[in-house]
Amino acid sequence: MRRLAIFSLAMLLLGLGCASRTPVSKGGSEASHQVAVESWLLAYDQQEERYLSLYEELKEKRGKDPQLIEARELASVAEEFYLMAEYETALELLQQAILFLEERRKVEETYP
Amino acid sequence: MSTKKLTEMKLSLGLIITVLVIGLGAQTANAQGGVEARRELELTDALLLKAQRLVIDEGCPSKKAHELLDQARNLQQEAWMAHNRGQHRLALSGTRAARGLAQEAIKIAERWRFVVRQIQSTRELLDEATKMVRVSQNPRAAALLEMALSQFERGQGALREGQIEQAFHLLKNANKLAREIITMLQQEDVGRERVGRELDRTDRLIDKARPLIEESGDEKARALLDRGVQTQIKAREFFNQGRYELAHQLTLNARELLVKALRMVEGLISPERVTGAIAATDELMERVRSIIMESQNREAVALFLSAGNHQDKAKGLLAAQRYELALAQTKIARRLVDRALELLGEASG
């Protein structure tokens, strides 16, 4: 499941990375830029939802856990970059935050 | 005995045998026809029982279903009588016709049962749609709801009059419309939620950008900030009017202006800027290392060690010329150090 999620994100990043680096002609540049931005926003939204649901789930049990604090800081810096339109960096950081939380949850499941 | 007489006798005997064989064959065929007719009659009886349960016992209001069932029963009765008289062909065709009528009656009754179930589910959907329309105030949804409610009422009326086919179509339409309204308003909710989130994000960016830009004294950046804030105000106005697409577009425009202004003040993410940020984090970590590591606070120590990992990553990324990520990692390292100090009741200064 996790591998699949990582693979999907990798493909998404690759696709979006290509989209953001592809030079566009002046006439179509505005529309292409708009589409690329929309794709990033959508991807970020999806990842953020995943992050938030995991975070809420774990916060109940382990609010002051260092791993949770680290995940929160990763997500917070991710949003800073997202707001500065540095979408690729933002998504990578958010995915790191998700991985931290997934690892934490696995530990939680193994040693409840 | 003459040869002529002998020939005549032979002919007569042949004729008798032929008549006997034909008679026997006809009797066997009749017996076989009787078995087949009986089997078919019994099948029709079973079907008539089913039709009676659906049409009469369950109270199907369709006149046509009742008429069809009556006709089927009469035909079946006549078919049995023909069978008892040995008229098996007549019995067979009669019972098959009866079965066709019974099947038609069953079809109507089953459709009626479906319509009755449909009423309950459509009523629930319409209640849900009505609540949603009241909240959303969407005029298109309100018009569709009016249409759906009218079809529903007419469908119920048609059902009371036993017009099952008409009721079926009217209720099916009402059901479809109710589903359309619910989906439409649910999508609107998702859109509103998403745009609301983006508006909040732009507000946070304004809060971050304003002090930095005001302190910088950069007039061009200040002008961009003002334009960004005005655009965001317009975006909020459109959002409050329910024009989410436009609000979304405007808040993104506002953000672009703010980002431009911030870049004027902060500069682009250059190797020099990243190197400076990493050095500042190094300096902070050195300064507070002993305070945290000797604190015996496990969480604070864990956070400080994680900060070290992020700082190492930042350096690696700087070497790989991935400046944005390098800056992000050193920022995270710095924040983790701050969190560790908070746990100890200290501040990074």
Side-chain angles (χ1 to χ4, degrees):
Chain A
M1 194 69 187
R2 206 179 107 188
R3 278 185 190 161
L4 185 68
I6 294 169
F7 177 73
S8 309
L9 185 85
M11 294 312 287
L12 184 72
L13 285 173
L14 189 69
L16 291 171
C18 290
S20 65
R21 287 190 185 110
T22 307
V24 283
S25 68
K26 268 222 160 174
S29 66
E30 186 70 18
S32 305
H33 171 72
Q34 190 60 37
V35 170
V37 168
E38 274 298 320
S39 309
W40 283 112
L41 298 183
L42 202 64
Y44 189 85
D45 256 11
Q46 285 168 352
Q47 292 299 307
E48 194 187 38
E49 262 179 43
R50 172 94 184 117
Y51 162 78
L52 285 173
S53 76
L54 277 167
Y55 186 77
E56 286 303 315
E57 181 190 324
L58 289 164
K59 198 178 78 176
E60 295 279 309
K61 299 174 195 165
R62 305 244 173 231
K64 284 186 178 171
D65 189 289
Q67 241 175 328
L68 238 68
I69 295 175
E70 194 170 351
R72 198 180 62 207
E73 293 307 333
L74 272 162
S76 169
V77 174
E79 199 193 49
E80 265 188 33
F81 278 78
Y82 174 80
L83 288 174
M84 294 299 285
E86 299 285 355
Y87 300 121
E88 200 170 347
T89 307
L91 260 171
E92 205 166 323
L93 294 174
L94 197 55
Q95 185 61 17
Q96 277 183 35
I98 291 169
L99 287 178
F100 264 84
L101 295 178
E102 280 175 343
E103 272 170 26
R104 191 73 199 93
R105 189 166 71 167
K106 207 179 265 176
V107 172
E108 200 66 40
E109 282 166 2
T110 317
Y111 309 103
Chain B
M1 202 182 287
S2 70
T3 315
K4 194 182 171 190
K5 250 195 170 166
L6 196 66
T7 311
E8 277 175 5
M9 268 178 70
K10 273 182 187 171
L11 275 171
S12 301
L13 199 64
L15 194 68
I16 289 165
I17 289 169
T18 309
V19 168
L20 274 174
V21 166
I22 290 171
L24 208 65
Q27 206 175 358
T28 312
N30 195 35
Q32 276 174 352
V35 170
E36 192 192 348
R38 186 171 194 86
R39 196 174 57 232
E40 293 291 312
L41 281 159
E42 282 169 358
L43 275 175
T44 309
D45 274 347
L47 203 70
L48 279 167
L49 270 178
K50 186 182 173 186
Q52 175 167 327
R53 184 168 52 78
L54 289 174
V55 176
I56 297 173
D57 300 350
E58 292 194 12
C60 172
S62 164
K63 273 185 198 163
K64 197 178 173 194
H66 284 269
E67 283 167 11
L68 285 165
L69 182 58
D70 285 345
Q71 286 170 19
R73 277 165 159 176
N74 292 338
L75 274 175
Q76 175 75 347
Q77 207 176 354
E78 284 167 17
W80 270 114
M81 282 158 65
H83 172 69
N84 293 338
R85 288 195 304 269
Q87 294 172 303
H88 302 307
R89 273 177 194 276
L90 192 62
L92 209 56
S93 67
T95 196
R96 282 179 181 156
R99 202 183 303 163
L101 296 174
Q103 274 164 345
E104 266 189 68
I106 288 172
K107 206 170 145 188
I108 294 173
E110 279 178 341
R111 186 153 274 203
W112 165 72
R113 282 214 304 193
F114 175 80
V115 168
V116 170
R117 280 200 303 271
Q118 184 89 329
I119 284 182
Q120 186 51 31
S121 70
T122 307
R123 183 176 285 126
E124 282 166 13
L125 282 172
L126 283 168
D127 286 348
E128 177 70 19
T130 307
K131 277 183 212 157
M132 289 174 83
V133 168
R134 246 181 241 142
V135 174
S136 82
Q137 305 271 311
N138 181 316
R140 191 173 126 70
L144 284 176
L145 180 65
E146 204 174 309
M147 205 188 295
L149 287 169
S150 147
Q151 303 237 13
F152 182 68
E153 286 302 317
R154 283 168 54 209
Q156 279 186 306
L159 187 66
R160 277 193 295 273
E161 289 163 17
Q163 306 283 332
I164 291 167
E165 199 61 25
Q166 202 187 348
F168 173 77
H169 289 295
L170 285 164
L171 289 166
K172 201 170 115 186
N173 281 348
N175 193 294
K176 196 176 154 209
L177 282 169
R179 282 178 199 279
E180 265 178 37
I181 295 163
I182 291 169
T183 309
M184 187 171 102
L185 295 179
Q186 275 170 348
Q187 279 169 355
E188 194 180 274
D189 273 354
V190 172
R192 181 173 46 213
E193 204 179 298
R194 192 176 158 220
V195 176
R197 219 163 41 221
E198 292 300 340
L199 282 163
D200 292 344
R201 280 186 177 134
T202 308
D203 281 344
R204 285 202 288 278
L205 186 62
I206 291 172
D207 290 344
K208 182 195 161 189
R210 199 193 296 274
L212 284 170
I213 292 166
E214 282 175 355
E215 274 172 32
S216 75
D218 186 322
E219 284 306 313
K220 280 185 182 168
R222 178 66 198 242
L224 281 172
L225 170 71
D226 290 344
R227 273 177 59 202
V229 171
Q230 288 308 314
T231 311
Q232 173 73 349
I233 290 169
K234 272 187 205 151
R236 281 263 175 223
E237 282 170 9
F238 282 124
F239 181 78
N240 294 336
Q241 290 164 14
R243 298 168 74 180
Y244 305 120
E245 272 302 306
L246 208 51
H248 189 221
Q249 192 49 55
L250 280 178
T251 198
L252 292 183
N253 291 350
R255 214 180 285 169
E256 273 185 29
L257 293 165
L258 295 162
V259 168
K260 268 187 199 166
L262 267 174
R263 284 198 176 134
M264 278 182 178
V265 176
E266 285 186 330
L268 290 169
I269 302 177
S270 61
E272 294 73 28
R273 186 175 156 198
V274 179
T275 308
I278 290 175
T281 311
D282 269 343
E283 189 271 319
L284 169 69
M285 289 181 78
E286 271 315 305
R287 189 154 44 85
V288 300
R289 180 183 301 278
S290 58
I291 302 172
I292 297 171
M293 295 306 281
E294 288 162 20
S295 70
Q296 300 200 337
N297 182 317
R298 281 171 61 190
E299 278 84 15
V301 170
L303 286 173
F304 190 77
L305 292 175
S306 293
N309 290 338
H310 285 283
Q311 183 68 349
D312 288 344
K313 270 188 200 167
K315 288 172 186 169
L317 288 160
L318 174 65
Q321 301 183 343
R322 297 185 67 190
Y323 303 121
E324 289 88 359
L325 265 180
L327 186 63
Q329 292 295 347
T330 197
K331 274 189 179 202
I332 292 160
R334 197 179 180 89
R335 280 166 176 246
L336 290 175
V337 174
D338 284 343
R339 295 294 89 79
L341 288 170
E342 271 173 24
L343 286 177
L344 302 178
E346 303 259 352
S348 62

